[in-house]
Amino acid sequence: MNKGIPYLLAVLVALTLSAGWAAPVLALFEHAYSCLQGGGGLDLVRLRCEPRPDGLGALLGSWPFWATAAGLAASALAATRLPRWPRSLR
């Protein structure tokens, strides 16, 4: 590895920090951390903290995850359980 690369990276990090780009990014991470630490969910489109739904609302809110998991499980079962055709019929 070239010996100058760590120095170049250090200079790039220093330039990034001096340009003021790090402050908004760190503020976003701090906001997300405090929201998640409080038990809420962060809406990244609107950048606001939303409370987690409880009970039936939480169950209905996670339906895309469970539908995807069921679809993947069904396709994996179908792929592994299909009958094997003899080589003479292929």
Side-chain angles (χ1 to χ4, degrees):
M1 180 179 206
N2 192 348
K3 293 181 181 179
I5 290 178
Y7 297 112
L8 178 63
L9 289 175
V11 168
L12 288 175
V13 168
L15 285 174
T16 302
L17 293 176
S18 68
W21 296 345
V25 174
L26 289 177
L28 177 62
F29 278 108
E30 289 172 359
H31 177 66
Y33 178 75
S34 64
C35 178
L36 295 175
Q37 193 70 15
L42 183 67
D43 184 4
L44 289 176
V45 175
R46 296 179 189 94
L47 290 178
R48 67 178 182 199
C49 187
E50 296 180 346
R52 292 254 185 236
D54 292 333
L56 184 61
L59 194 63
L60 293 176
S62 64
W63 75 266
F65 170 77
W66 293 111
T68 304
L72 286 174
S75 62
L77 281 174
T80 58
R81 301 290 182 190
L82 287 177
R84 304 282 182 204
W85 296 102
R87 289 184 182 228
S88 61
L89 295 177
R90 285 186 192 174

